[in-house]
Amino acid sequence: MTTDVRTGRATALKEKPLVTIKRILSYIMASYKYKFLLVLFFIVISSMANVAGALFLEILIDDFILPLVGDPAPIFTPLLYALFIMGSIYLAGALSTLFFNRMMITISQGVQKVIRDQLFVHLQKLPISFFDKNPHGDLISRFSNDVDALRNLIGQSISVVVTTLLSLSLTFIAMIYMSFTLTVVVILMIAINFVFITRLSKQSSKYFKIRQEVTGKLTAHIEEMVGSQKVVKVFNHEKESKDGFDIVNEDFRHSSAKADTAANMFLPVMLNMASLQYVVIAIAGGIIVTNPGGFLPVGLTALSLGTIASFLQLSRAFSMPLSNLAMQINSIIMALAGAGRIFEVMGEKPEEDEGHVTLVKQGQNWVWKDGNKEIPLRGSVALEGVDFGYSDDKSVLNQINFYANPGQKVAIVGATGAGKTTITNLLNRFYTIQKGHIFYDGVDIMKIGKPSLRRSLGMVLQDTNLFTDTIRENIRYGNLTANDEEVYKAAKLANAHDFIELLPKGYDTVLTDAGAELSQGQRQLLSIARAAVANSPVMILDEATSSIDTRTELIVQKGMDQLMEGRTVFVIAHRLSTVKNANVIVVMEAGRIIEKGTHKELLAQKGRYYEMYMGNELEVEA
């Protein structure tokens, strides 16, 4: 499994079906080894019972039923005893089938949980670049549609395949034992059937794989449209939204129709061929019985009526597993396609972390621990000659050089696309710089373990991310060890405490749908409170007040100032009035730093910052 640098998408080394099945079986054997072996035992019993029942039919007819024909004083006791034996054989087979089917349901549900757990855990280890460049709806589809298809494969299809292979083997041996000639007839009929099935299977497999991919696209489109309904409605984009959905839905309909058309032909073909096979064997058997000399090799006796009846039962038993397998073909193909998509994500390379420097708390202070060396955490950050691009053919940052002393406030301003947010992504090591260095308290951040690095950085993003939980727990998300008093203190610091107290359940109010019941400003205040409770020495405010109105911003600013006190702060802002008190303002354009200085110094230069500030002031006045 590799990842395309330009797109960030997985370029899977497509596995062969047998390899995928082997991986699925490894999950079964890892967690349910003995239960699965018991399933195989019951499958053997079930298959043997079916073949034994068909063989016993010959004995029943020739030894117990035919002797009674024409007998003036028939005794039925031996026949009843034989029927009891035959019933016991079939009962054992039926109970075995019931047992292994019930156990396979338990196994499939358990493996489904394991795979979902592993898939979710693996997703947590993937780099941000993976999520930036893969549709979220498609990833959700892999958790739902693809894992469900895999569950059906484990719960039904695997047992059907094993039962089919075992039943075919036992039945084939029994048929050869009873009549080599009639067995040849069966093989010829199966060969003709196989030609049709192979062609249908190729067509069905192709379109089922396409359908699984289109299902992901359909889920992604629905998720995107549902989450963007306000934008859709405000721009009267309902028709275009529907047209886009129709295109994806039509692709889904087309691939599903093609896949189902081929798959739904399996069973009718199998059943009709089985019926034709039954008729041909009955005719051939009748001819052999009445004229054995022309069909039987020298030395072999003619077939009895019981043998013909038993062979017909065996031929049906030979065709039935194939029919059951045909019914599972579409599920198998769909599950293998879904499993491929699941293993594709699981094959993605996890986020690398070669850092060995850790963050350790000593009393009330934090220190960087590099082996036996301890460096106090002060919050100084320096970028030296940093170059970066999200792809090899497009540079985003070029020769970035600036530093922030402990407790300083550094503002990064510039037009959209200038590279401001990219700097914060590099500070968090969401991406790896291609050239240059970033030093944190004199330590190259590439040497700092990512968990320790991110623990020392507090972030407030432009997009609020609130979870379905209470307000208390949403704030505590910044520091899971924080007690209630620390949560309240953080909320007061962010000026969120007053509006929280006005809610019906206060801090115990449960937020849903990313906090849709709150205003955008209130949601942002909670994000700021979450950063406050983290109590990190370095804060990154990425357009933190962009979604707050001017009046609310004034209320928040005091709390923000308290939050930033004594901390190194990086502020990214379009609203330049919020960065006037920064110790240094970095002006960026096209991935380069074009100006640096304080607010007064930059205004005096009457350069790009002066133009931006004056234009910004005019917008505010307007």
Side-chain angles (χ1 to χ4, degrees):
M1 181 73 62
T2 59
T3 302
D4 191 298
V5 177
R6 292 167 297 177
T7 63
R9 291 183 182 278
T11 54
L13 303 176
K14 298 297 183 181
E15 292 182 344
K16 295 181 179 179
L18 288 178
V19 177
T20 302
I21 292 173
K22 185 177 179 180
R23 292 186 66 174
I24 295 170
L25 288 175
S26 69
Y27 277 96
I28 296 175
M29 298 303 289
S31 304
Y32 297 94
K33 178 179 179 180
Y34 296 107
K35 185 167 285 190
F36 186 66
L37 291 176
L38 192 59
V39 165
L40 295 179
F41 171 75
F42 282 122
I43 287 177
V44 171
I45 297 298
S46 176
S47 300
M48 291 180 65
N50 290 333
V51 174
L55 290 174
F56 193 80
L57 183 62
E58 177 186 15
I59 300 173
L60 182 69
I61 293 175
D62 290 342
D63 297 346
F64 293 97
I65 295 178
L66 290 180
L68 296 178
V69 177
D71 190 338
I75 299 175
F76 293 101
T77 303
L79 176 61
L80 293 175
Y81 179 73
L83 289 173
F84 173 77
I85 294 175
M86 190 172 186
S88 299
I89 293 173
Y90 280 115
L91 178 62
L95 290 176
S96 296
T97 301
L98 174 65
F99 292 152
F100 77 69
N101 278 327
R102 289 181 66 87
M103 282 190 285
M104 283 307 294
I105 292 174
T106 302
I107 292 173
S108 66
Q109 292 290 348
V111 172
Q112 180 188 37
K113 179 185 182 300
V114 170
I115 289 179
R116 273 207 179 105
D117 286 342
Q118 289 189 6
L119 182 59
F120 187 81
V121 170
H122 187 71
L123 280 176
Q124 308 304 303
K125 299 177 182 178
L126 295 180
I128 292 294
S129 58
F130 176 82
F131 298 96
D132 286 344
K133 297 170 182 177
N134 284 274
H136 296 176
D138 183 61
L139 295 177
I140 294 171
S141 179
R142 300 187 194 220
F143 272 96
S144 54
N145 299 320
D146 293 333
V147 175
D148 281 342
L150 188 56
R151 175 182 56 80
N152 290 332
L153 172 69
I154 298 172
Q156 300 178 15
S157 303
I158 287 181
S159 59
V160 169
V161 170
V162 175
T163 302
T164 297
L165 294 176
L166 184 59
S167 296
L168 290 178
S169 300
L170 294 175
T171 305
F172 184 72
I173 294 171
M175 287 194 302
I176 290 181
Y177 168 76
M178 299 193 73
S179 174
F180 177 81
T181 305
L182 292 181
T183 302
V184 171
V185 176
V186 173
I187 292 174
L188 291 175
M189 297 297 296
I190 294 296
I192 296 172
N193 199 6
F194 181 76
V195 173
F196 289 104
I197 294 301
T198 301
R199 292 182 178 179
L200 289 174
S201 178
K202 288 182 179 180
Q203 294 181 12
S204 181
S205 176
K206 172 185 175 183
Y207 286 106
F208 268 113
K209 290 178 181 177
I210 294 174
R211 187 170 84 170
Q212 287 300 101
E213 294 174 358
V214 175
T215 300
K217 294 180 181 178
L218 186 65
T219 305
H221 184 83
I222 293 172
E223 190 231 5
E224 185 177 43
M225 289 301 106
V226 169
S228 307
Q229 275 301 296
K230 287 184 179 179
V231 179
V232 171
K233 293 183 183 301
V234 79
F235 288 106
N236 296 315
H237 209 270
E238 290 89 345
K239 183 180 183 302
E240 288 76 7
S241 176
K242 179 182 179 299
D243 291 342
F245 177 80
D246 286 344
I247 293 173
V248 182
N249 201 28
E250 173 59 24
D251 290 342
F252 179 79
R253 184 205 64 79
H254 177 75
S255 58
S256 295
K258 290 287 186 180
D260 290 339
T261 297
N264 290 339
M265 291 178 66
F266 281 122
L267 186 57
V269 169
M270 293 294 296
L271 292 177
N272 282 286
M273 291 299 294
S275 299
L276 180 60
Q277 173 184 298
Y278 193 87
V279 173
V280 171
I281 292 173
I283 294 174
I287 294 174
I288 293 174
V289 170
T290 57
N291 188 18
F295 292 91
L296 293 177
V298 177
L300 294 182
T301 58
L303 300 179
S304 67
L305 184 60
T307 302
I308 295 296
S310 182
F311 195 92
L312 286 171
Q313 185 70 14
L314 285 173
S315 70
R316 186 178 290 278
F318 194 77
S319 301
M320 187 59 67
L322 291 175
S323 299
N324 292 336
L325 182 61
M327 293 175 65
Q328 293 293 325
I329 285 294
N330 57 343
S331 296
I332 293 173
I333 294 171
M334 189 163 59
L336 290 178
R341 283 163 48 81
I342 293 169
F343 295 142
E344 181 182 0
V345 174
M346 292 180 120
E348 281 287 338
K349 193 175 181 180
E351 186 178 26
E352 295 182 349
D353 186 8
E354 65 282 8
H356 61 274
V357 178
T358 57
L359 186 63
V360 180
K361 193 168 187 178
Q362 294 184 347
Q364 296 299 316
N365 300 315
W366 293 88
V367 297
W368 298 111
K369 193 171 182 61
D370 185 0
N372 295 324
K373 185 179 180 181
E374 294 182 352
I375 304 169
L377 174 59
R378 297 164 53 243
S380 66
V381 179
L383 286 78
E384 297 182 0
V386 173
D387 289 354
F388 175 76
Y390 291 103
S391 61
D392 293 336
D393 57 350
K394 187 178 180 181
S395 179
V396 177
L397 298 178
N398 296 281
Q399 285 299 299
I400 302 299
N401 293 279
F402 70 87
Y403 63 90
N405 289 325
Q408 279 193 330
K409 178 179 178 181
V410 178
I412 307 174
V413 301
T416 300
K420 305 183 300 297
T421 299
T422 299
I423 291 178
T424 66
N425 287 335
L426 297 182
L427 289 175
N428 277 281
R429 289 187 64 193
F430 290 150
Y431 294 88
T432 302
I433 59 176
Q434 290 150 346
K435 185 180 178 182
H437 299 278
I438 300 177
F439 294 100
Y440 195 163
D441 289 330
V443 182
D444 193 324
I445 65 169
M446 296 302 295
K447 297 181 180 180
I448 301 176
K450 290 182 178 179
S452 293
L453 175 65
R454 292 166 185 170
R455 171 66 184 85
S456 72
L457 299 171
M459 285 195 73
V460 180
L461 303 174
Q462 179 179 4
D463 297 325
T464 58
N465 290 279
L466 300 178
F467 302 94
T468 303
D469 208 333
T470 63
I471 288 179
R472 187 193 315 276
E473 294 306 317
N474 267 279
I475 296 176
R476 187 178 279 132
Y477 198 88
N479 179 9
L480 297 179
T481 62
N483 56 39
D484 287 349
E485 287 303 317
E486 290 172 319
V487 170
Y488 302 150
K489 181 180 178 181
K492 291 175 182 177
L493 192 66
N495 280 333
H497 179 75
D498 291 340
F499 91 79
I500 295 174
E501 287 291 294
L502 293 175
L503 296 173
K505 294 185 179 179
Y507 283 86
D508 293 317
T509 301
V510 176
L511 303 180
T512 58
D513 194 19
E517 52 270 80
L518 303 178
S519 70
Q520 181 64 34
Q522 290 173 330
R523 293 199 292 269
Q524 192 62 280
L525 291 176
L526 293 182
S527 295
I528 295 171
R530 178 193 295 163
V533 81
N535 197 27
S536 303
V538 176
M539 296 294 299
I540 299 173
L541 309 177
D542 189 353
E543 300 287 359
T545 59
S546 63
S547 56
I548 301 175
D549 59 81
T550 305
R551 179 180 177 277
T552 306
E553 183 183 356
L554 294 174
I555 299 173
V556 171
Q557 197 61 52
K558 182 179 179 181
M560 292 288 289
D561 290 339
Q562 295 179 41
L563 175 64
M564 293 185 287
E565 186 177 345
R567 293 182 171 89
T568 305
V569 181
F570 292 90
V571 179
I572 296 174
H574 282 298
R575 199 176 293 170
L576 300 184
S577 59
T578 62
V579 301
K580 289 191 295 184
N581 63 341
N583 298 103
V584 62
I585 299 173
V586 177
V587 184
M588 297 190 64
E589 190 172 277
R592 296 181 181 274
I593 296 176
I594 58 174
E595 294 176 358
K596 279 190 292 187
T598 64
H599 174 70
K600 290 183 178 180
E601 290 172 347
L602 293 177
L603 287 182
Q605 292 178 18
K606 293 193 175 181
R608 181 66 181 132
Y609 179 80
Y610 176 83
E611 295 174 359
M612 293 171 59
Y613 183 77
M614 297 308 294
N616 196 273
E617 288 296 304
L618 290 174
E619 288 179 11
V620 173
E621 291 177 6

